[in-house]
Amino acid sequence: FCSSSAVKLLFAMGRVITVVIDTLSSGAMLAVRLKEQGYDVVRVWSRDFPPTLKGFVPEGAKCLADMETLDHKGNVEATAKALSAIGQVRSVMAGCETGVELQDQLADYLNLRRNDPALTEARTNKRPMAEAVRRAGVRAVRQRYCAKGADVKDFIREEYDGSFPTTGVVVKPCNSAGSDSVFMCPDIEGAIAGVNAIIGEENALGLKNAGCLVQELLVGTEYVVDTVNRDGVHKVVAIWSYDKRPCNGAAFVYFGMRILDMTDPAARRVPREAFGGTNGRWQHQGTLCVRYSLRFSLRWSMKFRDRGLPGHGA
């Protein structure tokens, strides 16, 4: 971000706008904080979200209704020209996961600081995300994409020689958030039922699940690493330990989150190679999920959330 004096100088040169795409959940607070810092914020909806999702904002973000807003109709060039007609676009940011693809496309079209659009899917879809981390030389979770329930049997045969693991497996959507439709399955019948329950349904991000993932169940402590990334330089700003357990019929319920002191041995075990796997060169905040167990799994997920600010967790 620029200093407040630099922002004022830019304003004096003409209208300069900062674009925030999909101001949902705590991403709404990003737009609010930018506005409070003196930035001229224009919101963009990447798709036609239902009113329930558009209204999923904290109480402190009600001023969003007063911000200039555009609806993206699927044409990147048209949206870029509409924004440029409002003012000089200095930055494009995603308010939440749903805005990552359009952020990459608009920033690329407008020649702004950006990530490689060719790897957008590796920053939004759990399957290529894990594979990108694996290609970076970091141990990643065993997984298979399933288009139908019967595909689970292929995963068990290929990864476990046909014997269902005693720890069970996890079935989840490829694109979603908030532990939406995540099933912990102790047997193959449960895994097949989980796949069939996900495919064809609309997930928490308003997307239809064409398929889903079956992954090994990693038993151990989950850590979440908050980073800020600029031009391929990754700075860790916080590491959290998550306490998630089964409760009230749900497999993964948040009981608490604990921030780690950077001298904690766990904080020293995060392999730097994982950050480069998805080529996340420019993010105002990214999140790396790490689980320490008998196997070491790293998942990079572009969760644009400002920790410590009022907002809905997801």
Side-chain angles (χ1 to χ4, degrees), residues 229-246:
N229 317 298
R230 175 169 175 157
D231 295 330
V233 177
H234 312 288
K235 299 292 185 180
V236 174
V237 295
I239 299 180
W240 302 77
S241 171
Y242 274 18
D243 180 8
K244 289 197 287 189
R245 293 174 254 158

Side-chain angles (χ1 to χ4, degrees), residues 34-215:
L34 285 169
K35 184 176 181 180
E36 291 176 351
Q37 293 295 319
Y39 291 84
D40 189 350
V41 179
V42 174
R43 298 192 300 160
V44 174
W45 292 113
S46 65
R47 59 178 67 97
D48 185 21
F49 290 102
T52 51
L53 270 180
K54 284 189 174 182
F56 191 59
V57 299
E59 286 297 324
K62 298 304 181 183
C63 64
L64 290 173
D66 299 328
M67 294 183 185
E68 195 161 357
T69 305
L70 293 180
D71 292 316
H72 176 62
K73 301 297 186 181
N75 188 313
V76 174
E77 181 180 6
T79 300
K81 288 182 176 179
L83 289 168
S84 297
I86 296 172
Q88 181 184 359
V89 181
R90 300 293 294 184
S91 181
V92 179
M93 301 180 182
C96 71
E97 291 91 330
T98 57
V100 174
E101 180 178 8
L102 184 56
Q103 170 195 314
D104 288 351
Q105 293 172 340
L106 283 174
D108 184 63
Y109 185 89
L110 294 168
N111 197 29
L112 303 173
R113 179 175 276 120
R114 62 197 179 278
N115 291 313
D116 182 0
L119 286 173
T120 296
E121 193 177 26
R123 293 186 292 272
T124 57
N125 185 302
K126 295 180 178 67
R127 178 177 58 158
M129 194 182 294
E131 296 309 315
V133 170
R134 200 188 317 277
R135 287 194 298 272
V138 179
R139 295 183 70 183
V141 65
R142 288 185 281 186
Q143 63 177 5
R144 182 182 177 89
Y145 177 78
C146 295
K148 57 185 182 301
D151 292 341
V152 174
K153 295 180 180 179
D154 294 331
F155 173 70
I156 300 303
R157 183 180 64 253
E158 294 168 6
E159 295 292 344
Y160 298 99
D161 296 323
S163 298
F164 198 87
T166 56
T167 54
V169 298
V170 174
V171 177
K172 63 179 68 172
C174 296
N175 305 79
S176 195
S179 297
D180 166 50
S181 298
V182 178
F183 299 100
M184 185 165 59
C185 308
D187 51 45
I188 193 164
E189 291 79 13
I192 292 174
V195 170
N196 290 333
I198 292 173
I199 293 177
E201 296 300 313
E202 184 176 287
N203 62 36
L205 299 181
L207 304 172
K208 187 175 181 179
N209 298 317
C212 66
L213 283 180
V214 57
Q215 296 179 332

